[in-house]
Amino acid sequence: MHVVVIGCGLAGVTTAYFLRRSGAEVTVVDRAAGPARETSFANGSLLTPSLADPWNAPGIFTRLFKSFGSADAPMLMHAKQIPGMWRWGLRFLANSRHQKFEESYLHNTRFAIFSQQTMAEMRAETALDFGYTDSGILKIFEEQSALDEAVKVAHWLKQVNIRHARLDVDQLMETEPALQPIRDRLVGAVHYLDDEVGDARLYCEALHSLLSENQVNFRFSEQVLDFELKPHGIRAVRTPSGRLAADAFVLAAGSFSRGLAGKLKLGIPLVPAKGYSITVPVSENVPRLPVVDDTLHAVVVPLGGKSLRVAGTAEFAGFDTTIRQERINNLIGLLGRVYPQVDIGGKGLEAWSGLRPMSPDGRPILGGCKLDNLFLNTGHGALGWTLACASGRVVAEQTMGEALSYDITPFQLSRF
Ligand SMILES: Cc1cc2nc3c(=O)[nH]c(=O)nc-3n(C[C@H](O)[C@H](O)[C@H](O)COP(=O)(O)OP(=O)(O)OC[C@H]3O[C@@H](n4cnc5c(N)ncnc54)[C@H](O)[C@@H]3O)c2cc1C
């Protein structure tokens, strides 16, 4: 069976791995010059079941409304995007009702735990090197009421086996001594014990090397332009170099999946939510654990003992990936607030932006659709790294006609 995978980010390359493992002949097509050149390039690096909440928590409307006109709000909506987003936006708001939000939260969290298990098996099988660590993450707080609220959520997450510890300031300093300079401002933290870290780009590159040695064919710098149809399915994709026929196709083109699906008259409710990261080299007193700042929707993550990555913020700005200085300043400000001892100084700072493929209920969009031989692996929003292994595995299983190792009913396109 020959399968063409469209896209070589986290979703595409992971699906290719599981397809190949099941014996498929696999071709991965990507318009970029190599793996992970778009949203999977410099993300927050967190594999984080504890942060699997969709963004449309109850009260989101008020927060978005307040962001109008404020260029440095953590979540920012550009007025000129509204006409093209209204249908998606209404669904997004409908999914912010308490019950819907909690349902999606729990679906994502369970799937994220399955993804961790799947990745552990994959690491054992492949010995991929991508800076993996498993120290957990810290949510730190300056206000007692915010900490108490976070502890309530942490208790609620126990129902899906998410483990945590509440830390007072002394315990927090013991767990992460690099926070000592801001000790007096803090009231405590929630330590989620099972979250992990890994560099998504290194993972994609390592998997690409491994699969290249295992007869997977990668066609880079080749854009899928259109499809050739057959009754109930796809016969081939068309690219500038001609047609590429296959028995089955996996659409894993991130935020661009919607446009490609549109050519098949298939509606996938996705919008791009732009996020930013900065990566700063550090030489001494490197923090051990990732730190999450809830108010700014941002994380500070130590990578490989050599750098800190600060990632986050959300901007609905269409497909524009321009790096705007005020958003970068937000992240530099956060880093300075958490680790004032880190010398940023502009030296070697790398700024990046990427487009999260956001579905209106914050869950990924996985599996079959009205075309018999097309399978979707997209819509992961802010969780594409966390959910990569689970999604790649089940989409590959369905493509190959195998029994599914996880029930993907909550993630199917047909829910919309
Ligand atoms: C700032 C930021 C921080 C984040 N932090 C985290 C985090 O800490 N943890 C987490 O779990 N997730 C995080 N995410 C989310 C995660 O990075 C994304 O969900 C994930 O990268 C999406 O992967 P993907 O493979 O679906 O898309 P992409 O990585 O964008 O890959 C899609 C690929 O499709 C290709 N493509 C598109 N159109 C075509 C075409 N027509 N023909 C051929 N190829 C095409 C593109 O070139 C691209 O390579 C973050 C995202 C951002 C922006």
Side-chain angles (χ1 to χ4, degrees):
M1 162 125 149
H2 179 206
V3 185
V4 164
V5 178
I6 304 167
C8 191
L10 281 164
V13 77
T14 310
T15 316
Y17 169 80
F18 285 103
L19 285 168
R20 185 72 197 111
R21 205 176 66 149
S22 288
E25 180 195 338
V26 185
T27 304
V28 181
V29 189
D30 199 298
R31 63 184 178 186
R37 298 294 167 94
E38 297 204 4
T39 315
S40 307
F41 187 79
N43 71 14
S45 313
L46 296 180
L47 297 151
T48 175
S50 78
L51 298 178
D53 45 319
W55 282 4
N56 38 359
I60 183 69
F61 181 74
T62 318
R63 286 205 298 286
L64 273 176
F65 189 74
K66 282 188 186 155
S67 82
F68 283 114
S70 155
D72 64 352
M75 197 181 270
L76 178 64
M77 166 71 82
H78 288 271
K80 69 174 187 233
Q81 294 303 322
I82 293 173
M85 274 181 66
W86 67 269
R87 192 198 288 262
W88 183 94
L90 287 179
R91 280 180 170 156
F92 184 72
L93 294 177
N95 277 288
S96 71
R97 291 205 316 272
H98 240 287
Q99 194 198 341
K100 285 269 176 200
F101 168 76
E102 289 191 352
E103 229 174 74
S104 294
Y105 197 161
L106 294 177
H107 281 312
N108 281 351
T109 309
R110 288 192 199 97
F111 199 46
I113 294 171
F114 174 65
S115 204
Q116 275 190 323
Q117 291 158 357
T118 305
M119 180 177 269
E121 288 164 24
M122 183 202 249
R123 284 201 327 274
E125 271 169 30
T126 60
L128 291 182
D129 183 7
F130 55 94
Y132 171 85
T133 58
D134 61 355
S135 53
I137 61 164
L138 289 172
K139 270 192 166 186
I140 57 171
F141 296 91
E142 298 181 11
E143 304 279 339
Q144 192 60 46
S145 55
L147 172 60
D148 293 343
E149 232 7 82
V151 170
K152 269 192 218 154
V153 174
H155 276 291
W156 180 75
L157 283 173
K158 277 185 177 176
Q159 65 183 297
V160 277
N161 301 321
I162 296 290
R163 297 187 311 138
H164 79 276
R166 181 183 182 144
L167 305 183
D168 64 23
V169 177
D170 287 336
Q171 291 165 322
L172 175 57
M173 294 305 129
E174 233 167 81
T175 311
E176 182 47 86
L179 289 170
Q180 198 65 41
I182 61 161
R183 178 193 172 103
D184 292 346
R185 278 208 335 256
L186 299 174
V187 294
V190 176
H191 184 186
Y192 282 109
L193 301 164
D194 299 317
D195 288 353
E196 305 161 322
V197 168
D199 186 320
R201 177 176 61 84
L202 293 184
Y203 163 91
C204 291
E205 289 173 355
L207 211 45
H208 161 248
S209 300
L210 179 81
L211 293 176
S212 300
E213 287 161 17
N214 283 281
Q215 291 89 46
V216 171
N217 180 19
F218 287 90
R219 293 170 60 150
F220 289 116
S221 304
E222 190 164 345
Q223 178 160 4
V224 172
L225 301 172
D226 210 343
F227 300 88
E228 197 178 301
L229 294 176
K230 63 180 185 183
H232 312 294
I234 299 172
R235 199 184 307 278
V237 293
R238 291 210 193 96
T239 76
S241 20
R243 65 190 287 283
L244 180 57
D247 303 300
F249 298 82
V250 174
L251 182 56
S255 293
F256 296 88
S257 304
R258 177 180 178 170
L260 281 169
K263 292 179 187 295
L264 297 160
K265 301 205 168 28
L266 184 66
I268 306 185
L270 278 186
V271 300
K274 184 176 174 181
Y276 290 83
S277 75
I278 55 170
T279 309
V280 181
V282 279
S283 48
E284 49 196 44
N285 299 330
V286 184
R288 272 184 350 102
L289 271 75
V291 164
V292 179
D293 179 298
D294 242 9
T295 33
L296 268 183
H297 279 268
V299 295
V300 183
V301 183
L303 280 186
K306 287 190 245 124
S307 54
L308 286 177
R309 174 154 307 154
V310 190
T313 80
E315 195 181 340
F316 293 98
F319 288 90
D320 173 19
T321 51
T322 313
I323 294 179
R324 295 175 55 199
Q325 193 55 42
E326 60 269 29
R327 312 301 286 169
I328 296 301
N329 291 346
N330 262 357
L331 298 180
I332 293 176
L334 172 69
L335 179 57
R337 237 179 54 203
V338 177
Y339 295 120
Q341 72 272 36
V342 170
D343 173 22
I344 303 168
K347 278 185 285 150
L349 182 149
E350 285 168 25
W352 170 82
S353 79
L355 303 173
R356 305 174 184 92
M358 296 285 291
S359 70
D361 60 4
R363 304 183 212 162
I365 301 174
L366 305 177
C369 61
K370 67 179 185 187
L371 293 160
D372 286 348
N373 64 346
L374 176 66
F375 300 88
L376 310 174
N377 190 356
T378 189
H380 295 85
L383 291 170
W385 184 207
T386 303
L387 302 178
C389 281
S391 307
R393 177 171 173 179
V394 290
V395 171
E397 285 167 350
Q398 205 179 39
T399 308
M400 298 299 283
E402 295 169 2
L404 298 194
S405 49
Y406 195 97
D407 176 12
I408 57 167
T409 311
F411 306 121
Q412 281 167 340
L413 179 64
S414 54
R415 72 185 185 271
F416 294 111

